[in-house]
Amino acid sequence: MVTKAGDRDLVQPVLEAHSELEGLLDRLSDSVGRLQCGDGTHYHADDVIAQLGPLQDVLASHFKAEEESGVHGRFLEIMPEVQKMISRLYLEHREALRSLEELREFRCNGCPDRIKSFGVQVGRLVNLLYEHEALEDELVTKTLRFCAD
């Protein structure tokens, strides 16, 4: 069993990665906002597409680290009742990476309606990722409370 100090060490990288992800998501959200507010030019679509690759790389690394670090297993040891939540997180990992791969293939071909639709799709993904990270933060907070006891 991991010690309480070890628990804190286990969750700290998760919190640091979430901070980095939040910055990437905030920037992407701002760019998507320009697409959705009627300023959906080809340039803005290209800006969004350019951000998807780095986001995909960071997420793939982050998700792999979470799944292989043992942090989720530790959450289950402390709170067995979170099994469904963790299963949902793993499913969202796969869905997010698949969506990013598909979105990176977008080509607007100068069509404003396609650009706006693309913006909506990326906006949905950004919202999913914000919610996903909030759920993981909730698990981390519960773990840290356990460590404090």
Side-chain angles (χ1 to χ4, degrees), residues 74-102:
R74 184 64 181 134
F75 293 154
L76 287 170
E77 285 178 30
I78 295 168
M79 304 164 289
E81 69 276 9
V82 299
Q83 174 62 53
K84 286 184 182 178
M85 193 181 295
I86 290 175
S87 294
R88 174 181 153 197
L89 291 172
Y90 279 32
L91 178 63
E92 288 176 357
H93 287 178
R94 291 187 297 280
E95 288 176 359
L97 293 174
R98 186 187 71 244
S99 292
L100 275 164
E101 191 66 39
E102 291 171 3

Side-chain angles (χ1 to χ4, degrees), residues 1 18 23 28 39 60 64 77 89-90 99 101 105 108 112 115 117 123 127 129 131 137 141:
M1 180 169 243
H18 287 185
L28 183 56
D39 191 16
K64 181 178 180 181
E77 285 178 30
L89 291 172
Y90 279 32
S99 292
E101 191 66 39
E105 298 300 318
C108 72
I115 293 172
S117 174
N127 289 335
L129 290 169
E131 291 169 10
D137 285 345
T141 299

